Amino acid sequence: MDRQIITSPRVTPMRSGVNHAVKAGGFVFVTGVTPFRGAERMAATIDKGDLVAQVRQVMTNMQAILEEAGTSLEKAVKMNVALTDMGRYAEFDATFKTFFKDGNYPARQTTESVRLAHPDFLVSIDCIAVA
């Protein structure tokens, strides 16, 4: 099976030993996308404390990664969401749904994760999409 590494120049480069995504077997597997804004790691910013802004940035970054792989959010089949505060689920969900046509949502699991990879992250989302 062929395997293609996907990196978007519009998304902050990964610091850990992962890539933005890997395309294989007719799918794109996107690493947990973070709310960093900016294509340069040292200049990247984050909207501290603002869940809605962070969800929007995560989904914007996700779109850029999927587009780089030749697909889109419309072809997302499964997402895993990590929220630092499940008490803000409704706020998260309302923002998340704006990125999809009504009813065309991927399968999704949302869990609470007290600590994410950066102390200012409130959300991280990974994705599997049809290539």
Side-chain angles (χ1 to χ4, degrees), residues 49-104:
D50 188 338
L51 179 62
V52 169
Q54 287 195 24
V55 172
R56 285 186 183 129
Q57 189 60 51
V58 165
M59 296 302 288
T60 298
N61 291 345
M62 181 83 67
Q63 283 176 319
I65 294 165
L66 290 171
E67 287 171 6
E68 192 68 30
T71 190
S72 68
L73 282 172
E74 291 179 3
K75 294 185 177 182
V77 293
K78 175 73 166 108
M79 291 186 173
N80 294 303
V81 179
L83 290 178
T84 58
D85 182 358
M86 207 58 154
R88 299 181 77 180
Y89 178 83
E91 187 180 1
F92 157 77
D93 191 54
T95 307
F96 177 87
K97 290 192 304 190
T98 65
F99 285 85
F100 300 92
K101 292 179 183 169
D102 192 34
N104 187 37

Side-chain angles (χ1 to χ4, degrees), residues 9-127:
R10 297 183 289 166
V11 178
T12 305
M14 302 301 284
R15 183 176 63 182
S16 301
V18 298
N19 291 296
H20 286 150
V22 176
K23 189 175 182 178
F27 292 95
V28 178
F29 300 87
V30 182
T31 296
V33 177
T34 67
F36 278 127
R37 178 179 38 258
E40 298 200 24
R41 170 145 297 283
M42 300 312 288
T45 60
I46 187 170
D47 292 304
K48 294 179 183 179
D50 188 338
L51 179 62
V52 169
Q54 287 195 24
V55 172
R56 285 186 183 129
Q57 189 60 51
V58 165
M59 296 302 288
T60 298
N61 291 345
M62 181 83 67
Q63 283 176 319
I65 294 165
L66 290 171
E67 287 171 6
E68 192 68 30
T71 190
S72 68
L73 282 172
E74 291 179 3
K75 294 185 177 182
V77 293
K78 175 73 166 108
M79 291 186 173
N80 294 303
V81 179
L83 290 178
T84 58
D85 182 358
M86 207 58 154
R88 299 181 77 180
Y89 178 83
E91 187 180 1
F92 157 77
D93 191 54
T95 307
F96 177 87
K97 290 192 304 190
T98 65
F99 285 85
F100 300 92
K101 292 179 183 169
D102 192 34
N104 187 37
Y105 309 116
R108 185 181 84 196
Q109 178 176 351
T110 305
T111 57
E112 185 174 65
S113 182
V114 177
R115 271 189 338 179
L116 296 175
H118 186 283
D120 294 322
F121 289 170
L122 301 176
V123 61
S124 177
I125 304 173
D126 68 41
C127 174

